[in-house]
Amino acid sequence: MELTAAEPRRKGLVQLFLDGEPGPKIDGEVFLLSRLKPGNELTEEELSQLVERSDARRAREKALYLLEHRSHSKRELTEKIARTAASREAAQAAADHMEEIGLIDDQAYAESYARELFLRRRFGARRVKQELARKGIDREIIQQVLAQYEEEEDGQERAGENIALVLSKRYPLWREDEKTRRRAVAALQRLGYSYQQIQSVMGHPDDME
């Protein structure tokens, strides 16, 4: 097939035209390095290799861009790249490379994210487990992180403090109003606290004044 034209497009891409018809869009840097010019002949294999090199470069560039702004889990990074910049295979390869060079680390990410959820967002252990799973963190790592939190001397004490803080900020009338109390209990359960943890702070409904 003949490369009949190559026109620049947005986001650093080059639109290829093959035998007069629109072909794939290629990363501009990869196209320049290929030294291709209109009039050159391309085989299917050569075109496939060009697309693969383009995908690989754009996937790595997207990975670096995302990691400049915040940490990501490996699966989260892979999915974002695949949605916006490259094929699933290229996205996975880019994430593997970021892991190899130490720019992503699911263990460290899970520990940091769990700490944020526990301390800043006031989540309970059950909700933290769900959120880490949503990020694609391996079950074994999640168990290690949660075990570390639960083994801390103040782990259960902090849960009680978080529950009390949520009650005081969002449901200050929970002691006086049964409807408010029920709403508070439901909200705390959504935050990941067990009924036993909630009851240890709120007491039994019969204890309401």
Side-chain angles (χ1 to χ4, degrees):
M1 70 189 80
E2 180 185 352
L3 175 64
T4 49
E7 299 178 357
R9 293 290 187 264
R10 296 176 55 208
K11 299 181 179 180
L13 294 171
V14 173
Q15 172 72 67
L16 303 186
F17 291 85
L18 304 167
D19 294 332
E21 298 293 329
K25 293 178 181 176
I26 300 297
D27 178 80
E29 185 71 18
V30 169
F31 179 73
L32 286 175
L33 291 173
S34 75
R35 300 183 182 278
L36 287 168
K37 297 179 180 179
N40 290 159
E41 292 290 330
L42 275 171
T43 66
E44 289 286 352
E45 183 179 356
E46 289 171 335
L47 179 61
S48 177
Q49 291 174 352
L50 187 65
V51 171
E52 286 179 8
R53 291 198 299 272
S54 174
D55 263 7
R57 184 178 188 279
R58 293 189 70 77
R60 289 195 181 188
E61 289 294 313
K62 185 66 174 183
L64 292 171
Y65 172 80
L66 291 169
L67 292 173
E68 282 178 2
H69 290 79
R70 71 168 179 84
S71 298
H72 288 70
S73 69
K74 186 175 182 178
R75 192 177 81 180
E76 182 185 28
L77 185 68
T78 301
E79 291 177 350
K80 282 190 176 182
I81 296 169
R83 284 200 306 267
T84 61
S87 67
R88 181 77 187 189
E89 293 76 15
Q92 186 66 59
D96 287 343
H97 180 67
M98 296 301 119
E99 184 177 44
E100 288 170 6
I101 64 178
L103 291 183
I104 55 174
D105 180 339
D106 274 3
Q107 178 76 41
Y109 175 85
E111 291 174 358
S112 175
Y113 190 45
R115 184 67 57 182
E116 176 190 353
L117 295 177
F118 277 126
L119 300 182
R120 190 173 68 81
R121 302 184 65 180
R122 311 293 176 182
F123 284 178
R126 184 175 59 193
R127 178 69 181 275
V128 172
K129 181 179 180 178
Q130 293 171 352
E131 294 298 323
L132 290 175
R134 284 181 59 245
K135 294 291 187 179
I137 302 300
D138 183 77
R139 182 183 301 177
E140 184 176 341
I141 293 177
I142 294 175
Q143 291 174 341
Q144 291 173 0
V145 170
L146 293 182
Q148 177 181 329
Y149 173 80
E150 291 167 355
E151 288 169 4
E152 293 177 357
E153 292 182 5
D154 61 347
Q156 291 302 314
E157 180 181 345
R158 184 182 297 120
E161 291 174 354
N162 284 345
I163 290 171
L165 185 61
V166 171
L167 289 172
S168 66
K169 285 190 172 182
R170 302 184 191 176
Y171 306 96
L173 300 179
W174 69 269
R175 293 182 184 276
E176 290 77 33
D177 181 67
E178 174 61 26
K179 184 177 179 180
T180 300
R181 179 189 178 93
R182 289 198 301 268
R183 288 175 54 220
V185 169
L188 289 165
Q189 288 178 320
R190 288 194 298 273
L191 286 174
Y193 295 102
S194 68
Y195 187 74
Q196 289 73 24
Q197 288 174 318
I198 297 169
Q199 197 173 48
S200 70
V201 176
M202 300 180 71
H204 194 274
D206 293 340
D207 298 334
M208 285 181 61
E209 296 177 359

